[in-house]
Amino acid sequence: MYDYLIVGAGLFGATFAHEATRRGKKCLVIDRRSSVGGNIYCEKIEGINVHKYGAHIFHTSKKEIWEYVGQFAEFNNFVNSPIARYKDEIYNLPFNMNTFSRLWNIKTPQEAKKIIDRQRAECNLKEITNLEDQALSLVGKDVYEKLIKGYTEKQWGRKCDELPSFIIKRLPLRFTYNNNYFSDKYQGIPEGGYNQIIEKMLDGSDILLNTTYQDYIAAHPDTFKKVIYTGCIDEYFGYKYGELEYRTVRFETEVLDTDNYQGVAVVNYTEAEVPYTRIIEHKHFEFGTQPKTVISREYPCEWHKGIEPYYPINNDKNNELLLKYQADADQLSNVIFGGRLGGYKYYDMDKTIEAALALVKQELN
Ligand code: UDP
């Protein structure tokens, strides 16, 4: 008899399993994939840790979360400073003085602000109802057209004026020469990749891979007291109110016979004409010196049943649907939903750990 059946061996499930096991609870962790780690799983290719389900850069503003994750791996001092390519032009991200000086051949924050203020005024926006308005009112027309519009429409498969404005609020805007993409105090990549973190977290739990929740409960009913479910909440309920929508990414990964392809871990392709949104060169996350390199092109696409869901699309329609499923979930006394898919929420890794620890507090303290 297990105290917890944890469905999904990603960061949320593994954090919960670790804390529960530490408190003497018996946990079984199942996953439909053949690997643990969910989307932070790394695959070693040519001696390089390849972030198989998309680039993951750990960052947090909270010391306790940084120290928590530091128990499981040594982190390096990687700082994410992606490059944007628009046609033949190269810009620094996030939007900062390096970006503005390249765009307008200016030098000072005063000059940059003057141009952005003028462009904002020219847009003459009365109220902000969508992502396009939000971007224009934040950075003006030039940055929007070169660095936001094409990228965002590829990423989400929808026009910017049909997208919610909050998406763009993730991106910082600075009037300093600072290319650090994140504003958080702590940032890095685990030396040796993410798998060690999950493996250490799952130490002490039983693990069953290649196993779906349905298959497990059909074969072993009554073998657990409670379920922590980190799969899609709509799938749990058999999609009875309809399907929640996701955006998915397809990766084309290639080994190249060169030691340095693009000189940086992340290059965003911001024009509409290039079909992928970005190219990740994995070795740069760990300052790799291997003779070859591995790159992944990211092609965003619409999700359908049977492929991996990535980004929840939190528009009004989906959020209403989510509320219905959550109301049903609240009726279940022995199933708790969590993580990105269980909560239908786009979590960064630090927030995933925080959410799992909050559940631990509620459940186990
Ligand atoms: N974005 C953009 N241009 C860029 C990078 C990001 O317009 O070069 C927008 C885009 O709409 C994206 C959002 O900013 O969905 C958030 O970007 P972030 O890098 O946080 O996305 P993630 O890495 O989580 O996919």
Side-chain angles (χ1 to χ4, degrees), residues 84 93 95 131 147-149 151-152 155-156 167-168 170-171 181 268 270 278 311 346 348:
L93 291 173
F95 312 131
L131 192 150
L147 301 178
I148 297 176
K149 190 173 191 299
Y151 185 95
T152 300
Q155 167 77 5
W156 295 97
I167 292 175
I168 205 76
R170 283 174 61 86
L171 283 185
Y181 199 64
N268 289 1
T270 59
R278 53 189 175 191
Y311 298 88
Y346 186 65
D348 286 333

Side-chain angles (χ1 to χ4, degrees), residues 239-268:
Y239 303 104
K240 67 181 189 186
Y241 301 122
E243 288 172 19
L244 291 164
E245 294 171 303
Y246 294 88
R247 205 62 191 148
T248 283
V249 194
R250 181 172 61 82
F251 299 98
E252 262 178 28
T253 297
E254 218 183 317
V255 177
L256 300 177
D257 202 5
T258 168
D259 64 338
N260 187 2
Y261 173 70
Q262 62 185 16
V264 65
V266 183
V267 178
N268 289 1

Side-chain angles (χ1 to χ4, degrees), residues 17-199:
H18 176 70
E19 292 301 322
T21 312
R22 236 164 47 86
R23 288 165 174 78
K25 303 290 180 193
K26 221 171 157 249
C27 298
L28 171 65
V29 181
I30 65 169
D31 202 295
R32 57 161 41 124
R33 287 187 188 163
S34 55
S35 55
V36 295
N39 282 2
I40 66 174
Y41 174 70
C42 295
E43 186 181 4
K44 207 152 212 151
I45 304 177
E46 299 290 341
I48 297 162
N49 291 307
V50 172
H51 296 199
K52 183 136 188 245
Y53 300 97
H56 282 79
I57 299 148
F58 198 92
H59 57 99
T60 181
S61 58
K62 296 200 173 157
K63 192 170 183 201
E64 62 271 25
I65 297 295
W66 184 241
E67 285 174 351
Y68 186 84
V69 78
Q71 302 174 78
F72 306 103
E74 180 80 17
F75 278 71
N76 69 16
N77 61 345
F78 177 84
V79 170
N80 191 26
S81 305
I83 294 291
R85 245 180 97 158
Y86 175 79
K87 305 200 166 161
D88 286 333
E89 299 163 23
I90 291 281
Y91 295 98
N92 288 108
L93 291 173
F95 312 131
N96 73 77
M97 282 307 298
N98 291 303
T99 326
F100 307 139
S101 79
R102 177 62 66 93
L103 259 174
W104 302 310
N105 194 24
I106 49 104
K107 294 175 185 62
T108 66
Q110 290 72 21
E111 290 171 291
K113 280 183 183 158
K114 211 168 140 188
I115 295 176
I116 290 178
D117 284 345
R118 197 187 62 227
Q119 294 196 1
R120 278 180 183 142
E122 280 165 9
C123 296
N124 197 20
L125 288 165
K126 302 251 160 4
E127 62 171 334
I128 291 172
T129 57
N130 57 50
L131 192 150
E132 179 169 281
D133 299 345
Q134 179 69 56
L136 286 170
S137 81
L138 213 63
V139 284
K141 182 166 150 286
D142 288 349
V143 174
Y144 172 67
E145 286 182 352
K146 288 194 168 176
L147 301 178
I148 297 176
K149 190 173 191 299
Y151 185 95
T152 300
E153 294 186 347
K154 286 191 285 188
Q155 167 77 5
W156 295 97
R158 286 153 179 79
K159 295 279 167 212
C160 284
D161 60 9
E162 295 162 8
L163 283 165
S165 55
F166 74 85
I167 292 175
I168 205 76
K169 288 193 189 143
R170 283 174 61 86
L171 283 185
L173 165 68
R174 297 193 191 112
F175 292 94
T176 52
Y177 285 93
N178 175 3
N179 295 328
N180 184 346
Y181 199 64
F182 301 115
S183 306
D184 289 334
K185 182 164 174 188
Y186 307 99
Q187 180 174 181
I189 301 280
E191 289 171 357
Y194 284 94
N195 297 358
Q196 58 185 316
I197 296 179
I198 299 291
E199 282 158 14

Side-chain angles (χ1 to χ4, degrees), residues 319-333:
N319 288 341
E320 274 167 35
L321 195 53
L322 176 64
L323 287 177
K324 289 192 189 171
Y325 284 119
Q326 282 175 336
D328 282 12
D330 289 343
Q331 302 301 313
L332 302 174
S333 57

